[in-house]
Amino acid sequence: MSSYQMNIQGDLLRVGFSRNERALGDQIVKDALGELHQLIDRQEITGGRLLKIYGPQSIAVAYAIAHQLSHLYSVIAVYDPKIGQIGYRTYIVTISHDPEYSPGDLIETQEPDQNRQQVKVVICGPPRSGKSCLVEGLKWQIMGMLDAPYPYVMTACPDGECAGMQEVFSRDPVSAHSIKETYKADLTLEYAKKMSAAVASSNNLMMIVDVGGRISTENEIICKSATSAVILASDGEKSTTGHIAIWETFCLQQGLQVIAKIHSEFDAVSDRIDRESPILEGMVHHLQRGGDVTDRPMIRALAQKLVGLTK
């Protein structure tokens, strides 16, 4: 099994991480080159003037792919989900041996992004329910779906858990806790307004916003710029059902469509899906920092739900 996947149709190379085979960066580079060499050996990739690359790549994978393909194509352009007309794909020229193109030029196409709609989903609920863990698993699940929009994740709470923090927890929990405490700060109105503006101005097809675990004026400001909400709650002072009801009321007041209500049960041994439509409901088990939760049935179902909303 390969941790990276790709296929080519004409001048478009589709790439993406595999949801079935997780690996660290060094192995992903090796797997990506292995897939690329197979396409070349089968003469599916023969070279030409222009190659467009569509799909998520790590920096290391992008360098490796570019090194191989720059000898075969005059121009290589990479899809950027954050620019161009919504619903259509725009590519940035990154390598050019052709005088008609320069690095940084945009190639705006009429390739429909499958007539997709923007989804800006808030992951919300009380603290210590496992929201950051769920977001990490959800991100990787979607990234492993070829042709799924890139899941742009934004942490809208200054709780010290920056991008990539879950991987740090898996490798070095002591350092991760230290980093979290160092960078933890209060959620202020000024910060909330900046986050709200970032959500409102984003033209990503899919944006996942991880908000703080308190119902507050600050979170109201942030959430009003989103379109949808996923509520995750674990047992605490109130029953999980009580927590979800409170957050559902909050989300509806901000004009959000609640698309999932999920119970988080740390000590459970398996997920449970109660229903998938119109609202995904059920339970996800053992959301632990540093753990790989990508292939949990509930997270797979949630990923499919989100991708479906963009179509």
Side-chain angles (χ1 to χ4, degrees):
M1 299 283 294
S2 175
S3 62
Y4 206 72
Q5 52 191 335
M6 60 181 69
N7 61 57
I8 188 165
Q9 294 180 342
D11 64 357
L12 180 64
L13 179 68
R14 290 184 174 87
V15 300
F17 298 90
S18 172
R19 66 178 182 270
N20 297 317
E21 188 72 20
R22 292 288 299 278
L24 296 179
D26 56 336
Q27 186 60 49
I28 294 174
V29 168
K30 295 174 184 176
D31 289 348
L33 290 178
E35 293 290 313
L36 189 59
H37 289 152
Q38 287 186 40
L39 292 175
I40 294 172
D41 291 343
R42 294 197 300 264
Q43 296 189 339
E44 295 180 42
I45 290 180
T46 57
R49 186 187 186 196
L50 170 66
L51 180 71
K52 297 172 293 183
I53 301 178
Y54 177 82
Q57 308 168 67
S58 67
I59 293 175
V61 165
Y63 270 102
I65 291 176
H67 174 71
Q68 294 293 316
L69 295 178
S70 62
H71 303 295
L72 298 174
Y73 291 89
S74 298
V75 180
I76 295 176
V78 178
Y79 170 70
D80 189 329
K82 299 184 290 298
I83 60 175
Q85 184 180 355
I86 293 173
Y88 295 92
R89 297 175 185 168
T90 297
Y91 298 81
I92 302 174
V93 174
T94 55
I95 295 174
S96 178
H97 308 296
D98 188 318
E100 292 190 21
Y101 292 93
S102 297
D105 285 352
L106 298 181
I107 299 177
E108 296 185 334
T109 75
Q110 292 301 305
E111 298 173 12
D113 224 352
Q114 296 186 1
N115 296 318
R116 286 171 170 163
Q117 303 295 319
Q118 266 191 310
V119 173
K120 300 178 181 181
V121 61
V122 169
I123 310 296
C124 63
R128 294 177 294 281
S129 293
K131 293 190 295 295
S132 296
C133 297
L134 182 138
V135 167
E136 182 75 2
L138 184 61
K139 176 187 76 174
W140 279 99
Q141 179 65 225
I142 295 170
M143 286 175 65
M145 300 166 66
L146 277 179
D147 284 339
Y150 181 78
Y152 186 84
V153 175
M154 187 178 82
T155 301
C157 178
D159 59 1
E161 294 203 19
C162 54
M165 200 63 176
Q166 295 303 311
E167 185 173 348
V168 179
F169 271 107
S170 68
R171 293 189 176 193
D172 188 348
V174 175
S175 295
H177 282 290
S178 177
I179 294 170
K180 177 179 171 67
E181 290 304 314
T182 299
Y183 289 98
K184 190 173 183 179
D186 293 330
L187 176 57
T188 63
L189 280 174
E190 181 181 7
Y191 183 90
K193 290 176 181 177
K194 288 181 179 179
M195 294 297 100
S196 178
V199 175
S201 63
S202 172
N203 63 355
N204 292 279
L205 281 172
M206 182 182 293
M207 189 175 202
I208 300 172
V209 186
D210 186 2
V211 300
R214 305 290 181 189
I215 290 177
S216 64
T217 300
E218 290 79 10
N219 273 337
E220 286 182 11
I221 292 171
I222 297 169
C223 290
K224 284 183 183 298
S225 296
T227 63
S228 316
V230 171
I231 303 172
L232 179 72
S234 61
D235 289 332
E237 295 176 2
K238 303 179 186 296
S239 69
T240 304
T241 303
H243 277 306
I244 288 179
I246 292 170
W247 278 93
E248 184 173 19
T249 298
F250 170 80
C251 292
L252 293 176
Q253 288 172 344
Q254 313 319 314
L256 300 177
Q257 176 191 12
V258 176
I259 61 172
K261 298 186 287 187
I262 304 172
H263 298 261
S264 175
E265 296 188 16
F266 188 81
D267 294 325
V269 296
S270 62
D271 288 7
R272 187 188 71 247
I273 297 176
D274 297 331
R275 68 171 179 167
E276 298 186 32
S277 180
I279 298 175
L280 176 64
E281 295 187 58
M283 182 267 289
V284 63
H285 78 286
H286 203 74
L287 293 176
Q288 184 175 28
R289 284 191 176 97
D292 183 4
V293 302
T294 306
D295 287 324
R296 300 283 171 82
M298 176 55 77
I299 291 178
R300 286 201 303 269
L302 181 57
Q304 292 166 1
K305 184 90 172 178
L306 288 179
V307 172
L309 288 175
T310 68
K311 296 181 179 179

